[in-house]
Amino acid sequence: MQTRRFGRTELQLSVFSLGTMRFVSGVVAKATVARAIAQGINHLETARGYGESERFVGEALRSLDIPRHRFHITTKLSPTATAATVQQQLQESLDRLQLDYVDCLALHGINQPEHLAAALAPGGALEAVEAAQASGLVRHIGFSTHGDLALILQILETQRFAFMNLHYYYFFQRHAPAIARAQALDVGIFIISPTDKGGQLYAPSEKLRELCAPFSPQVLNYRFLLSDPRITTLSLGAAVPEELDVAMAVADQVEALTEAETAALGRLDAEQERSLGTDACQQCYACLPCPEQIQIPEVLRLRNLAIAYDMNRFGQYRYAMFENAGHWFPGRRANHCNDCGDCLPRCPAQLDIPRLLQDSHDKLKGPERRRLWGNSLP
C-alpha cells in the first residue's frame, strides 16, 4: 500500500482510506477494520452522523489492540453547530472512539453559503474546533462538501482548513479547479465515494464494461484518481471485509496512466461524442441559475451517462435524490421546466435544454409506483 503526504497536515496517509458509514454491527466492523489495517490502510474516516459508526470503530480498534501510531482517524461534526455544542459533541465522539484526540476533524457538509457563514461566525463551529486544536484534542482541521464549485473555492480561500473531502471522479470532473487550488494552498485532498457516487461502478452495465476492457470500470476510475499525485487518498466505503479486495489490487499502482488505460478512457470519450452528438452537455454550467431551481447540468450529466454508457441504474438512483436529499443534493427534477427559455441564450452549445430536460425526466424518473392511498386520509 502506497502512502502520500496529506497536504500541510504532513500526515502520510495510505492511498486508500476506510470509510465506515456502512458499518452495521460491531462484529463486521471489527473484521473489516482488521483486514484494512492488515492490508496497509492507515486512515479511517467516520462521523457523528454515521449512526453507530464511531462506536463500532472505537470498539474495533480497542479489541484489535492496534497501536495508536498505526492509524489515523478522521471524524466529522456539523458546521452549523454552536461552539458549545461542538465542544460537547467532540467529547462524545472521542468517548465513542475511545481516543484522547483525533488526527483530523472535518466540518461535515459545508454545502451552502449559509453553512460556511455559520461556521465562520464568532461563537461558531470553526472557532470551537480551533480551540480544540489548541488544546490537543484535534490535530488538523478540514471540511467535507457536496457544494458547488464556487462555494468550494470560497471555502479554500479562507485558508483555515488543512484538508478537504471532495467529490471528483472520471465521470464528474467539474471540481478540477478545486483540486488545483487545493494543491496550490497545500490542502490535503481526500476523494469520497469514488465507486458509488462515481457511477455505481461495482455494478457496471455491459456496455460500460466492454468500453473499459481489459480493465473493470471500478479499477479504471481508481487508476484515473491514483495517477494524479495531487490526490492523497480515496475512500473505500466497505460494509464487509471482502469489499476491500478490488482496491487492494491497485493499491501500489500510483504511476502515470499506461497507454492501455489512456486508450480505454479515450474510448469512453469517443463513445459519448458518438452517441450523444450535438445533444451532449459539456458541463460548463453557464445555464444556471434556473428560475425553477432545476440543477440543469447535473440532470444532463446523468442523461449523458445513461445514453453513452447505459448507466440508467445509476442515473435513476441519483435523479431520485432530487427533492429528497435537501442541501446534500439540491435542485428540482426536470419535469418542473416550464419552457421559459431563460437558459437558452446562455448555452454556448445552443442546446435545446427544455427538450433535453423532458427527455432526461422520461429516461431517469424510473418506474411509476402505485400509491396505496390518495392525497387525503379517509
Side-chain angles (χ1 to χ4, degrees), residues 3 6 305:
T3 62
F6 196 35
L305 297 178

Side-chain angles (χ1 to χ4, degrees), residues 207 268-283 300 303-305 307-309 347 349-352 355-356:
K207 182 176 183 181
L268 293 175
D269 292 342
E271 179 57 23
Q272 176 165 301
E273 183 176 347
R274 185 201 68 78
S275 59
L276 287 157
T278 57
D279 280 349
C281 173
Q282 301 300 327
Q283 299 290 284
L300 297 187
R303 179 183 182 274
N304 285 354
L305 297 178
I307 292 174
Y309 312 121
C347 178
Q350 299 183 320
L351 297 178
D352 184 353
R355 175 180 64 82
L356 296 179

Side-chain angles (χ1 to χ4, degrees), residues 14-173:
S14 51
V15 295
F16 285 104
S17 296
L18 179 61
T20 65
M21 182 174 69
R22 297 172 63 213
F23 283 177
V24 295
S25 77
V27 172
V28 176
K30 179 179 176 181
T32 306
V33 170
R35 182 175 296 197
I37 295 291
Q39 292 177 326
I41 290 177
N42 70 0
H43 179 224
L44 289 74
E45 182 233 11
T46 182
R48 178 180 176 85
Y50 290 175
E52 292 296 302
S53 171
E54 288 181 327
R55 182 172 64 83
F56 290 150
V57 169
E59 291 175 351
L61 292 169
R62 182 173 182 178
S63 63
L64 293 167
D65 196 23
I66 299 171
R68 185 65 178 90
H69 70 273
R70 289 278 308 279
F71 65 88
H72 305 294
I73 289 280
T74 293
T75 194
K76 304 189 288 294
L77 300 174
S78 171
T80 59
T82 63
T85 300
V86 166
Q87 291 169 358
Q88 174 189 341
Q89 292 181 348
L90 174 58
Q91 189 57 57
E92 291 171 354
S93 291
L94 290 170
D95 291 344
R96 284 192 289 265
L97 291 165
Q98 302 184 48
L99 297 174
D100 296 326
Y101 70 92
V102 291
D103 303 272
C104 299
L105 191 142
L107 296 186
H108 190 193
I110 305 182
N111 300 333
Q112 299 289 338
E114 55 266 32
H115 299 156
L116 178 59
L120 297 178
L126 186 54
E127 181 179 287
V129 174
E130 288 174 339
Q133 182 182 40
S135 66
L137 299 178
V138 172
R139 297 290 172 86
H140 308 287
I141 300 169
F143 68 95
S144 74
T145 182
H146 294 234
D148 64 26
L149 177 60
L151 177 62
I152 296 168
L153 293 174
Q154 184 182 357
I155 299 169
L156 288 170
E157 291 306 324
T158 68
Q159 300 192 35
R160 293 176 71 177
F161 299 96
F163 68 91
M164 69 175 178
N165 299 2
L166 188 71
H167 290 285
Y168 173 77
Y169 327 108
Y170 182 73
F171 288 131
F172 180 74
Q173 298 182 42

Side-chain angles (χ1 to χ4, degrees), residues 309-330:
Y309 312 121
D310 292 345
M311 293 172 66
N312 303 72
R313 175 180 169 181
F314 173 69
Q316 290 176 7
Y317 152 60
R318 296 297 282 172
Y319 190 72
M321 293 176 66
F322 286 123
E323 304 175 38
N324 284 312
H327 60 78
W328 296 97
F329 199 70

Side-chain angles (χ1 to χ4, degrees), residues 241-311:
E242 293 74 21
E243 291 182 355
L244 298 171
D245 293 348
V246 172
M248 293 307 101
V250 293
D252 287 327
Q253 298 177 28
V254 299
E255 67 277 2
L257 293 171
T258 66
E259 289 186 11
E261 290 164 342
T262 301
L265 295 176
R267 287 193 296 274
L268 293 175
D269 292 342
E271 179 57 23
Q272 176 165 301
E273 183 176 347
R274 185 201 68 78
S275 59
L276 287 157
T278 57
D279 280 349
C281 173
Q282 301 300 327
Q283 299 290 284
C284 69
Y285 281 61
C287 55
L288 295 181
C290 168
E292 295 301 318
Q293 299 179 14
I294 300 168
Q295 187 66 13
I296 297 171
E298 180 63 10
V299 171
L300 297 187
R301 181 180 78 93
L302 297 176
R303 179 183 182 274
N304 285 354
L305 297 178
I307 292 174
Y309 312 121
D310 292 345
M311 293 172 66

